[in-house]
Amino acid sequence: MSVEETKDKLYDLLIIGGGITGAGIALDAVSRGLDTVLVEKNDFASGTSSKSTKLIHGGLRYLKQFEIALVREVGRERAIVHRLAPQLVKSEKMMLPIIKGGSFGKILTSVGLMVYDVLAGVEKADQRKMLDKEETLKKEPLLPEEIVEGGGLYAEYRTDDARLTIEVIKTSTQFGAKCINYMEVEDFIYENNSVIGTKCVDYITNEKSNIKARYIVNAAGPWVDELRQKNKSKQGKSLHLTKGVHIVVPHEKLPVSQAIYFDVPDGRMIFAIPRGRVTYIGTTDTDYHGDKNQVITENKDAEYLVDAVNNTFRTVNLKVEDVVSSWAGLRPLIYEEGKSASTLSRKDEIFESKTGLISIAGGKLTGYRKMAERVLDMVVKKYKNEYGKSFEDCSTDEISLAGGKFNGQNEVVDYTESIKKQLNKLDLDTYYAEYLVNNYGNQTNVILEKINDFDDEDPEIKLGRAELWYVVNSEMVFNSLDYFARRTGRLYFEIDTIEKLKEPILNDLKDYFNWDSAKYKYEMAALEEAIYLASEVFK
Ligand code: FAD
């Protein structure tokens, strides 16, 4: 998508921000028939939408805050998003151990989980199961016998936030939306006191351009207020940013047998979630006033999470040095007088400025589809009133996401088995079947068909290069971090594979984009820095 193509057009809708919120809005808009363009200043999902706990969840803890409507809406959304992308949004049981002196006693856990099931509309077979002490310890032998009193098992869904965002973006482009990464909105253009466009800079071509649209939505996550400031409309409610850190350890260092949600001595709760060869643990929740473009894990964040693990899992003796990777993100929450970071509401709100800029903030990954529906209901109503034109109703609950045309989780399992057979023939560990199917769904075939075009001796390098070829050609990848962090998740979950992949991947990128040696060096340094920030800076 070049700047040229957007120059003389008047779009129906321009969306600023290519996180899950903007992506969801783009898909809803284009599938209703609006001529839609989305611009993202960095890579898609490079903001908060690659830094979450990666759960499509109802937010059990919001029950404690009596956020009934929020729990109901996001709880019900889980099943829908699972149906739209069963390879990417996978049903998984979460364990809530009942610990002597912990947040929830047996009765509260049982009633709480039951209310959660009802609000979220969980099917009978999947509803909460209460376990006695023995059953709990059998399911999770790592829990300390002396303080465990029982447990609850409840339904959650696991995902990859960045992949979900990318697949929503790709689906919206299949419907005809123009989605452009590495293009920043620098300012707004006005006519008769109404905002009619944006001034943009394209970091790939270094060109400036204007994009015009009838309606403009600011879905810039933690940067929403910056754009409201530029629009001179930052009055009334504003954002309150809180930082959330996750750390990653090799699975053998915290060998939990399933996802678990457990107490921290300060009264909060955190998750430990096994994924492939690692377990990730999070999250922290602290007020943030630093640089929004570089949020890093600090020693105190890692210590907090390590201490919380050691407090519950008393035999593991985890150390900060065991951490192999991490990520830190910002929650774009809405400020409420006198409320602390972890008690602020997670619900979304829409603001419209006097000049017509529509901003959306707050919310959750899980609720992206409903948030988009609310924004578009508002936009099409205005369109009807102002231009007399009608559009279709929201139908995104029926639109399968790219890579996700599976009829339920069983088909995903069968497909994964077929991929294992192909991997065997390619001398690749069958471990990669889950990795590939979770990341690319049924697009895995395209990648595997490409593998033998590469003549490296090591099949893992061939696989990495085939993935790169795919994401450069189909997912607007421009540099190694787009690839290692957002498209493949290797920076977080397979960081030890980067050492042998970095040169072949950068060499291929050099060829694909005609980089000179200075650009190659710059990109290699950027990758080394990202590895350092994810895995070392806090030690
Ligand atoms: P972002 O993903 O930040 O997207 C905004 C985008 O706008 C950015 O990519 C940015 O580069 C771009 N942008 C900014 N300014 C400009 C500009 N001038 N021009 C162009 N582009 C611009 N939710 C869940 O449902 N489940 C969870 O498990 C969960 N866990 C979480 C854990 C943590 C630690 C955090 C921080 C959040 C979690 N959330 C979770 C919430 C969820 O991640 C966020 O609500 C969601 O990702 C926000 O998406 P967004 O698109 O609004 O923001």
Side-chain angles (χ1 to χ4, degrees):
M1 172 74 217
S2 72
V3 183
E4 280 305 307
E5 288 170 62
T6 62
K7 248 182 194 161
D8 301 315
K9 271 199 75 155
L10 174 64
Y11 287 94
D12 290 324
L13 186 68
L14 162 62
I15 300 146
I16 309 168
I20 191 65
T21 309
I25 294 170
L27 180 58
D28 193 314
V30 72
S31 59
R32 292 192 198 212
L34 280 87
D35 200 358
T36 304
V37 59
L38 176 149
V39 293
E40 161 56 51
K41 70 172 178 172
N42 199 292
D43 185 23
F44 302 121
S46 58
T48 304
S49 298
S50 52
K51 317 281 171 44
S52 78
T53 309
K54 305 173 196 294
L55 290 173
I56 293 294
H57 64 161
L60 181 62
R61 77 183 188 83
Y62 311 131
L63 255 192
K64 246 174 132 182
Q65 292 158 230
F66 295 102
E67 298 227 37
I68 304 294
L70 179 71
V71 175
R72 178 186 286 120
E73 180 172 295
V74 288
R76 285 171 194 254
E77 272 306 288
R78 301 179 312 172
I80 297 176
V81 190
H82 166 66
R83 176 163 50 74
L84 303 178
Q87 85 287 6
L88 193 53
V89 179
K90 294 193 151 179
S91 142
E92 196 171 281
K93 288 279 183 269
M94 182 71 71
M95 169 170 290
L96 187 74
I98 302 165
I99 304 279
K100 241 179 239 164
S103 287
F104 298 105
K106 270 187 195 159
I107 296 173
L108 209 62
T109 304
S110 176
V111 174
L113 292 179
M114 189 179 73
V115 173
Y116 185 65
D117 280 343
V118 172
L119 287 175
V122 177
E123 283 181 18
K124 203 148 187 76
D126 232 8
Q127 287 182 354
R128 68 102 168 82
K129 195 165 174 249
M130 295 307 295
L131 308 175
D132 63 20
K133 177 171 179 150
E134 207 179 314
E135 290 166 322
T136 308
L137 289 170
K138 204 167 157 205
K139 279 244 166 251
E140 189 45 82
L142 218 53
L143 285 165
E145 196 185 340
E146 61 280 15
I147 54 163
V148 169
E149 295 183 331
L153 277 184
Y154 67 100
E156 285 288 29
Y157 291 87
R158 198 162 53 101
T159 193
D160 186 284
D161 44 9
R163 288 297 322 174
L164 183 64
T165 306
I166 300 301
E167 299 301 6
V168 177
I169 291 273
K170 278 163 68 185
T171 312
S172 74
T173 61
Q174 287 163 6
F175 274 83
K178 310 275 180 256
C179 296
I180 315 170
N181 51 358
Y182 293 101
M183 185 182 269
E184 178 162 8
V185 166
E186 293 190 308
D187 211 343
F188 294 98
I189 306 168
Y190 301 90
E191 205 173 85
N192 302 327
N193 284 329
S194 290
V195 60
I196 56 149
T198 56
K199 295 180 182 173
C200 301
V201 53
D202 183 330
Y203 294 118
I204 303 295
T205 60
N206 285 323
E207 281 180 61
K208 300 237 178 194
S209 66
N210 296 341
I211 302 182
K212 293 195 175 156
R214 290 199 160 93
Y215 300 101
I216 300 178
V217 174
N218 166 13
W223 296 266
V224 155
D225 274 355
E226 269 178 24
L227 286 158
R228 289 173 77 210
Q229 191 103 43
K230 281 188 176 144
N231 179 244
K232 299 188 181 51
S233 61
K234 204 185 137 225
Q235 290 119 12
K237 291 195 176 176
S238 61
L239 289 193
H240 178 140
L241 302 182
T242 80
K243 175 178 159 187
V245 167
H246 290 81
I247 54 172
V248 183
V249 298
H251 185 250
E252 62 272 18
K253 294 280 178 190
L254 181 59
V256 282
S257 38
Q258 64 174 86
I260 184 160
Y261 188 36
F262 59 98
D263 282 313
V264 183
D266 65 5
R268 293 185 60 250
M269 293 186 77
I270 62 169
F271 296 99
I273 302 177
R275 175 167 159 158
R277 295 167 173 148
V278 299
T279 302
Y280 66 95
I281 303 144
T283 169
T284 61
D285 199 352
T286 50
D287 290 338
Y288 189 78
H289 305 284
D291 181 359
K292 292 193 272 294
N293 295 309
Q294 197 176 57
V295 190
I296 53 172
T297 304
E298 291 170 77
N299 178 264
K300 60 178 185 228
D301 304 317
E303 292 265 6
Y304 173 91
L305 295 170
V306 163
D307 287 350
V309 166
N310 291 334
N311 180 63
T312 292
F313 302 98
R314 295 178 177 181
T315 53
V316 300
N317 194 19
L318 199 66
K319 299 186 186 65
V320 170
E321 297 82 75
D322 297 326
V323 177
V324 291
S325 190
S326 72
W327 63 90
L330 297 178
R331 298 177 185 84
L333 306 176
I334 294 159
Y335 176 78
E336 289 171 70
E337 188 75 40
K339 285 215 173 174
S340 68
S342 50
T343 55
L344 279 173
S345 170
R346 266 56 179 167
K347 65 177 185 287
D348 57 283
E349 278 193 46
I350 301 173
F351 314 100
E352 189 181 358
S353 78
K354 282 189 187 132
T355 55
L357 177 69
I358 299 164
S359 298
I360 177 152
K364 296 198 53 77
L365 184 77
T366 310
Y368 78 92
R369 214 188 53 80
K370 289 305 268 185
M371 287 165 70
E373 183 177 350
R374 278 192 281 278
V375 169
L376 261 296
D377 282 350
M378 177 176 168
V379 169
V380 295
K381 198 166 159 200
K382 286 163 78 66
Y383 211 120
K384 173 92 175 125
N385 290 341
E386 288 161 25
Y387 301 97
K389 187 172 169 186
S390 305
F391 291 93
E392 307 277 322
D393 287 341
C394 174
S395 62
T396 51
D397 58 342
E398 294 300 332
I399 300 172
S400 290
L401 299 184
K405 287 211 169 63
F406 291 102
N407 209 353
Q409 204 147 322
N410 288 345
E411 265 191 23
V412 178
V413 173
D414 293 346
Y415 181 71
T416 311
E417 285 306 312
S418 75
I419 295 298
K420 280 187 185 160
K421 287 188 192 130
Q422 292 188 55
L423 291 177
N424 266 329
K425 286 188 200 142
L426 294 162
D427 286 333
L428 274 158
D429 193 329
T430 50
Y431 162 81
Y432 283 110
E434 287 265 334
Y435 161 85
L436 287 166
V437 176
N438 289 351
N439 274 348
Y440 307 104
N442 59 17
Q443 303 156 130
T444 300
N445 276 66
V446 186
I447 294 170
L448 294 187
E449 276 160 24
K450 186 74 182 171
I451 278 193
N452 284 329
D453 284 12
F454 301 100
D455 54 12
D456 307 79
E457 266 179 34
D458 184 336
E460 290 192 348
I461 294 182
K462 286 164 74 159
L463 174 66
R465 294 181 66 191
E467 286 180 78
L468 179 72
W469 166 84
Y470 175 74
V471 296
V472 165
N473 287 290
S474 306
E475 300 189 346
M476 295 181 74
V477 157
F478 289 102
N479 61 50
S480 66
L481 272 180
D482 297 348
Y483 170 83
F484 283 118
R486 268 91 52 186
R487 302 305 183 282
T488 67
R490 284 178 187 266
L491 180 65
Y492 308 124
F493 304 111
E494 308 275 340
I495 194 163
D496 53 344
T497 64
I498 300 185
E499 193 48 42
K500 74 171 166 192
L501 281 177
K502 65 185 182 190
E503 275 185 23
I505 291 301
L506 278 149
N507 281 331
D508 280 353
L509 283 166
K510 184 171 183 260
D511 290 345
Y512 292 144
F513 296 112
N514 286 322
W515 289 351
D516 59 19
S517 57
K519 173 75 173 161
Y520 180 94
K521 271 193 197 146
Y522 170 86
E523 290 290 337
M524 185 59 96
L527 175 59
E528 299 286 6
E529 192 193 4
I531 296 172
Y532 171 74
L533 292 178
S535 62
E536 292 298 329
V537 67
F538 49 85
K539 286 182 181 164

